[in-house]
Amino acid sequence: MAPDPARRPLWKPLATLWVILLVAACSSSTQTGAGGSSATPARTNPLAGVTVPDAFTPLTVAPISRPTFPFPGSDGKYHLAFDVQITNATGGPASLTAVDVVDAQDPKKLLASFAGPQLVDPACNYGNCNRLRQLTQQPSADFSIAPQTSRTLLLDFTLDTLAQFPKAVMLRLHGTGVTNPAVSNEPGPLDTLGAPFDISAGTPRVISPPLRGNNWVAFNGCCDPGWAHRDAIMPVNMKLNNSQRFAIDWMHMDDQGNFYVGDQTRNESYVSYGVPVYAVADGTVTSTLDTVEANVPGILPAADPALAAKMTINTIDGNHIVLDLGDGVYALYAHLIKGTLLVKPGDKVKKGQQIAKLGNTGNSNAPHLHFQLMSGPSLLEADAVPYVLDNFSYQGQVSTTSVWNADNYLSGSFFGPDRLQTPEPRSNQLPLLLAIATFS
């Protein structure tokens, strides 16, 4: 069955959906660095010696992500995720049917390949599919790219070890397009190489968890397409951007696997609601908002015209806190309860210090904590930054099928066969999509 946007559970896009509200811009500043050390030594240019063969290329590639780096996930593998914009710069039709990611220094070394349904599959809702997108969130209907138009491409893959990743990658594009600039209406087979991209720009920032307790589920976590954060490319500040690529919407279950007990329309019924939220590292508060009233569970404001009209670019994240963690890395905590913020701009905080309580404000339809690291204080200007948690216990997974098919309140128990009876201690990993974690 083809995906039906109207059928999607309203809680699924718990991400901060700014697309309908981009009528103004937040303040921003130029950012540098996204690594884990404040004393990062000088490094050699990862693109030095990379040779791009001269060719007429009807499809051009521009990075949406800033230079990035791999990180270890809770599946025991190393992940790399970034996004690019693909443009048909000719007057003739073009198509993109396969993409290879190769070692920029040794283009014969294939790292990952995406083709067929991995790029376009109208019957697929989520997973390793529909990586070719319209300019923002919607999947592309087919492989074609009309003259003078663009698509975005979501690229992420895993390798077993960090050492398997080169310092830079290039893309090899396959499909059809104008291959002779003198003949603009006769497309032919396409096989072009280029667009070197730095993937050794830092190391993951190590932080402590923002919450405490067991049975925390990483909703919309990295990295599968089809879930709210991975796909959240937005037109902001006159560019395409995604500061949410590695964000997580943390929701709490009880020991029976339920997200709420009692009246599903009351925030207080949800296990997550009102729990303390903590600083993940020493830092300085750069901005806060503490004026937004709580939402009624089950209704996503962006999907309700009356509620959407009341939101602004400043309230879309609800009550929130942005922390400057140093070295060009910032942490965002969103959807907090009004009146529970314990910090203000300029305050210094220590790792583990309580800073607020988890709520359901802004563009949210269930109590949860939206948390992310980013390369600047402005959600619109910054890029997503990979990170890892210093210590947690991995409790297994919640089923993607059960989540996708759930009602708007996440009714029922979500414990399943992928839940571990004995949690596994983990360190310096990022909990991935729908991982269950305990934070001590």
Side-chain angles (χ1 to χ4, degrees):
M1 179 182 296
D4 178 2
R7 168 65 183 86
R8 290 185 177 186
L10 290 180
W11 51 263
K12 176 189 167 290
L14 287 172
T16 324
L17 301 181
W18 302 315
V19 66
I20 62 171
L21 295 163
L22 296 180
V23 296
C26 293
S27 62
S28 62
S29 60
T30 301
Q31 309 305 326
T32 59
S37 170
S38 59
T40 303
R43 64 189 182 103
T44 59
N45 180 4
L47 304 184
V50 173
T51 301
V52 179
D54 288 338
F56 177 78
T57 55
L59 296 181
T60 64
V61 177
I64 295 172
S65 312
R66 301 184 190 186
T68 188
F69 42 86
F71 64 91
S74 54
D75 59 355
K77 297 182 180 295
Y78 281 81
H79 293 250
L80 181 73
F82 63 102
D83 312 315
V84 298
Q85 180 177 340
I86 310 287
T87 299
N88 177 4
T90 74
S95 66
L96 181 64
T97 57
V99 178
D100 299 329
V101 184
V102 301
D103 185 334
Q105 298 285 355
D106 181 9
K108 294 181 180 179
K109 183 178 180 181
L110 179 66
L111 301 172
S113 186
F114 306 95
Q118 295 171 332
L119 295 179
V120 177
D121 185 358
C124 181
N125 287 315
Y126 57 84
N128 187 17
C129 61
N130 291 320
R131 294 179 175 279
L132 191 63
R133 299 270 159 168
Q134 298 180 37
L135 270 183
T136 51
Q137 297 172 324
Q138 293 301 316
S140 181
D142 53 40
F143 300 97
S144 66
I145 305 177
Q148 305 294 310
T149 65
S150 298
R151 295 285 185 268
T152 52
L153 179 65
L154 310 178
L155 295 168
D156 53 76
F157 61 94
T158 63
L159 295 175
D160 291 332
T161 67
L162 181 62
Q164 292 175 292
F165 287 89
K167 293 184 178 181
V169 296
M170 282 201 291
L171 301 184
R172 186 180 296 277
L173 306 184
H174 305 271
T176 60
V178 174
T179 57
N180 184 342
V183 185
S184 62
N185 59 352
E186 294 184 10
L190 178 69
D191 183 344
T192 58
L193 177 69
F197 185 68
D198 177 5
I199 63 165
S200 56
T203 57
R205 174 62 65 94
V206 180
I207 59 173
S208 67
L211 299 156
R212 301 288 184 269
N214 64 347
N215 301 329
W216 284 100
V217 181
F219 273 87
N220 298 318
C222 197
C223 294
D224 289 356
W227 301 92
H229 296 151
R230 183 68 187 92
D231 304 346
I233 296 175
M234 300 289 179
V236 293
N237 292 5
M238 293 190 178
K239 65 178 182 179
L240 295 178
N241 196 48
N242 184 2
S243 68
Q244 304 183 73
R245 194 175 300 110
F246 307 109
I248 294 175
D249 289 329
W250 287 109
M251 294 190 69
H252 200 194
M253 296 185 293
D254 64 16
D255 288 336
Q256 288 70 50
N258 301 304
F259 287 102
Y260 70 88
V261 177
D263 184 352
Q264 61 192 9
T265 65
R266 298 183 69 249
N267 285 308
E268 292 77 8
S269 298
Y270 284 77
V271 185
S272 303
Y273 194 72
V275 304
V277 174
Y278 301 93
V280 297
D282 295 353
T284 303
V285 179
T286 63
S287 64
T288 63
L289 183 68
D290 192 15
T291 62
V292 184
E293 301 294 338
N295 298 327
V296 175
I299 302 174
L300 186 69
D304 183 302
L307 295 176
K310 297 178 181 179
M311 285 194 296
T312 70
I313 200 65
N314 294 319
T315 63
I316 193 74
D317 287 310
N319 301 314
H320 61 267
I321 297 171
V322 177
L323 295 182
D324 180 354
L325 305 185
D327 196 32
V329 178
Y330 295 75
L332 166 70
Y333 303 76
H335 310 307
L336 307 170
I337 296 178
K338 179 182 176 181
T340 69
L341 274 67
L342 301 176
V343 296
K344 62 184 183 302
D347 284 354
K348 304 289 186 181
V349 300
K350 293 293 185 180
K351 181 176 74 171
Q353 176 182 334
Q354 183 180 341
I355 57 176
K357 290 185 177 181
L358 181 153
N360 181 24
T361 58
N363 193 40
S364 165
N365 66 343
H368 73 283
L369 174 68
H370 175 105
F371 178 83
Q372 66 185 58
L373 293 192
M374 52 193 183
S375 63
S378 165
L379 283 65
L380 304 187
E381 179 65 23
D383 193 22
V385 173
Y387 59 96
V388 294
L389 302 184
D390 53 6
N391 284 289
F392 65 97
S393 292
Y394 176 69
Q395 298 177 237
Q397 296 286 137
V398 167
S399 161
T400 54
T401 302
S402 67
V403 170
W404 190 270
N405 293 328
D407 65 18
N408 295 342
Y409 302 94
L410 288 172
S411 300
S413 173
F414 286 80
F415 284 159
D418 293 328
R419 175 176 175 248
L420 303 181
Q421 295 302 313
T422 303
E424 299 174 354
R426 300 293 181 88
S427 61
N428 297 341
Q429 294 181 346
L430 179 67
L432 301 174
L433 173 68
L434 295 180
I436 311 171
T438 290
F439 305 130
S440 61

